[in-house]
Amino acid sequence: MNGRAAEVVIVGAGIAGVAAAFHLAVRQGTRRVVIVESGDPLALTSDKSTECYRNWWPGPGDAMVAFMNRSIDLLERYERESHGRLRLNRRGYLFATAEPSRITTLHAFASEAQALGAGPLRVHDRPVSDGSYVRSPAHGLDGVPAGADLITDPALIRTEFPYLDSSVVAVLHARRCGWLSAQQLGMWMLEQARAQGVELVRGRVTGVDTRGGRVRSVAVERPGEAMTIATPTLVLSPGPHLAEVAGQLDVKLPVACECHMKVSFRDTEQAIPGDAPLLIWADPVQLPWSDEERAALAADARTRRLINILPAGVHGRPEGTPGNHWLLMLWSYDTDHVRPVFPIAIDAHLPEVALRGWSRMLPSLKRYFSRLPRMTLDGGYYTKTPENRPLVGPLSVTGAFVNAAYSGFGIMGACAGGELLAAHVSETPLPRYASAFLPARFDDPAYLDAFTDAGAAGQL
């Protein structure tokens, strides 16, 4: 049996684990940091992301908005430090509705975001000729306002977003939002970390020595050998394996996994402009099937639900060079809690269902109905706490920490999460939002009483 020692051992080389290593080694100067990963780094779920970010989060309280504002601050900093390697843009998130009654909901949604620190709300309810609505550039960050623009003037909607369905009565454009190259972000941080001595060990953690109620060592199984890494500090960032790995410490965490899939295809018909924002349909959808298709779906218990009204939230975005771009589509209409199993089972109906659902917002997609394009599916598991906030901080075993449970927002939250984790480990001053993400918050039986359904804001 081989043995070695480390100051910190991190379980998992997904975006959360890599960000933790980066902030510990590069920003805090911690030496002898080891990441243990059984597969390839940044590959299990981190490379299945839509790669988006937003400071658009529900309450209660402003902890999530403050956390994400800090993470976006760091993303912008790293974009500059990497000389544009992350390909960060700020095209925004565009919510659209065809229901006049939902305008009030969108206004309340944006007003809450403003109160929580996401930026000011600007309402455009009449023809605008003074330039008060500022377009988002396809690339870069400069000149884009924070906050959101609620547009109810039909002429302005048609001018700025002519590809939306003619029934749209309002759009809400959240502005400190966009996307980036998640793989480049992860690899840039990993390269920086390894240059500061962080070691990546390929293997599977099989046990943790916690004699005396504190972390003492980690057992790792590698092909052909077993090794022990003596360490006083262990950080759990194992993605969907969080519950299993925490169990090795006899720690039970309130997390569950949901399977989320992403559909991508080349937009050969140029149905959507390649410089569009992330496009989100805020209304429930009844899919446009022919009578024959509807009858066939109804006859099969496995597909019968697809003829019913499905929940709001189908969304997607372009990817690549405008004019030669792909479309990414997502729709979490099935969010049952499941046990993570790899390889992930593919939902064969999702490509057509997502395409038809999104076409309610973007009628030009109907060009693909008669002959579906060749589509690629991939996806991963969202590891979620009951109120959909991450776990960052110390566990009940001395020397054990967690930086995980990022649900579908690991890419956007990893920078702030890694920084916060490093502050906990190094016992440096914590930001004011730190307590909102402590695992110990669930020790209060009344904690979850303050939370209600976060709606689309907490799910995209």
Side-chain angles (χ1 to χ4, degrees):
M1 176 171 298
N2 295 324
R4 64 176 69 183
E7 191 170 337
V8 180
V9 172
I10 299 171
V11 182
I15 193 70
V18 166
F22 170 82
H23 281 276
L24 282 165
V26 178
R27 298 304 183 194
Q28 295 279 18
T30 305
R31 301 304 174 198
R32 294 188 301 155
V33 176
V34 172
I35 307 174
V36 179
E37 170 59 56
S38 60
D40 293 326
L42 303 162
L44 186 63
T45 59
S46 296
D47 65 347
K48 311 300 188 299
S49 165
T50 51
E51 305 178 295
C52 295
Y53 71 91
R54 57 189 163 95
N55 72 339
W56 204 251
W57 289 88
D62 66 349
M64 281 300 292
V65 174
F67 179 81
M68 287 300 176
N69 273 333
R70 176 57 182 165
S71 208
I72 297 168
D73 287 344
L74 292 172
L75 284 172
E76 293 174 355
R77 172 181 172 179
Y78 301 157
E79 172 76 347
R80 293 189 296 271
E81 290 182 3
S82 68
H83 305 291
R85 180 170 166 179
L86 311 188
R87 301 200 296 272
L88 198 66
N89 72 47
R90 194 180 287 180
R91 296 193 197 175
Y93 280 31
L94 190 77
F95 299 85
T97 181
E99 296 291 338
S101 62
R102 196 159 280 116
I103 296 175
T104 301
T105 303
L106 291 180
H107 191 282
F109 182 23
S111 296
E112 179 192 25
Q114 176 178 252
L116 295 177
L121 169 61
R122 296 167 293 274
V123 177
H124 310 278
D125 55 4
R126 55 182 59 88
V128 176
S129 59
D130 60 1
S132 61
Y133 174 76
V134 178
R135 294 179 180 176
S136 294
H139 307 288
L141 311 171
D142 296 335
V144 183
D149 294 86
L150 177 62
I151 305 175
T152 58
D153 173 58
L156 185 57
I157 294 173
R158 306 294 167 248
T159 297
E160 297 296 334
F161 310 105
Y163 44 86
L164 298 181
D165 191 84
S166 61
S167 64
V168 169
V169 295
V171 297
L172 178 63
H173 196 182
R175 309 307 293 271
R176 200 180 190 202
C177 313
W179 57 90
L180 66 149
S181 171
Q183 195 70 8
Q184 288 301 312
L185 169 65
M187 289 306 299
W188 181 79
M189 288 194 293
L190 184 58
E191 290 165 8
Q192 297 276 314
R194 297 185 82 168
Q196 293 299 314
V198 171
E199 182 182 2
L200 179 64
V201 171
R202 300 298 185 96
R204 183 173 66 89
V205 172
T206 57
V208 182
D209 183 352
T210 59
R211 286 173 298 164
R214 67 156 301 113
V215 172
R216 298 184 181 277
S217 65
V218 178
V220 179
E221 184 179 274
R222 306 180 68 188
E225 70 168 331
M227 64 185 300
T228 299
I229 306 176
T231 184
T233 306
L234 177 67
V235 177
L236 305 188
S237 294
H241 300 302
L242 177 59
E244 174 189 348
V245 177
Q248 295 176 351
L249 297 160
D250 290 325
V251 171
K252 184 174 177 58
L253 297 173
V255 294
C257 290
E258 299 172 356
C259 184
H260 289 251
M261 304 298 296
K262 176 182 68 183
V263 181
S264 59
F265 64 97
R266 189 177 293 279
D267 187 14
T268 56
E269 295 291 331
Q270 299 296 298
I272 298 172
D275 59 356
L278 180 77
L279 300 164
I280 306 155
W281 189 238
D283 301 342
V285 176
Q286 185 142 37
L287 298 177
W289 303 111
S290 68
D291 291 342
E292 292 78 11
E293 290 167 334
R294 186 175 298 277
L297 291 168
D300 189 333
R302 295 170 298 178
T303 58
R304 194 170 297 145
R305 64 177 175 168
L306 299 180
I307 66 174
N308 299 326
I309 296 176
L310 295 177
V314 59
H315 62 286
R317 66 170 181 86
E319 169 64 29
T321 304
N324 188 31
H325 57 272
W326 288 64
L327 296 181
L328 310 182
M329 302 186 300
L330 299 93
W331 196 5
S332 301
Y333 57 84
D334 184 357
T335 55
D336 291 340
H337 291 171
V338 296
R339 178 178 173 272
V341 176
F342 295 93
I344 293 176
I346 298 297
D347 179 355
H349 299 289
L350 179 61
E352 185 170 7
V353 168
L355 180 69
R356 288 178 179 269
W358 209 25
S359 74
R360 177 64 185 88
M361 179 183 192
L362 303 159
S364 55
L365 291 175
K366 294 177 182 177
R367 300 171 193 170
Y368 292 110
F369 282 10
S370 60
R371 184 174 181 180
L372 292 179
R374 183 176 180 179
M375 299 187 182
T376 301
L377 275 80
D378 64 19
Y381 293 99
Y382 287 9
T383 307
K384 300 175 66 171
T385 58
E387 88 288 34
N388 203 25
R389 291 185 173 184
L391 297 168
V392 187
L395 295 170
S396 56
V397 176
T398 301
F401 298 81
V402 62
N403 180 37
Y406 281 91
S407 185
F409 48 88
I411 300 302
M412 67 181 88
C415 292
E419 180 185 61
L420 177 56
L421 182 282
H424 278 294
V425 171
S426 60
E427 298 183 342
T428 54
L430 299 171
R432 63 177 179 82
Y433 50 73
S435 62
F437 309 113
L438 291 173
R441 67 189 189 264
F442 294 103
D443 293 344
D444 178 0
Y447 167 70
L448 291 174
D449 293 345
F451 289 85
T452 56
D453 182 12
Q459 302 302 318
L460 298 180

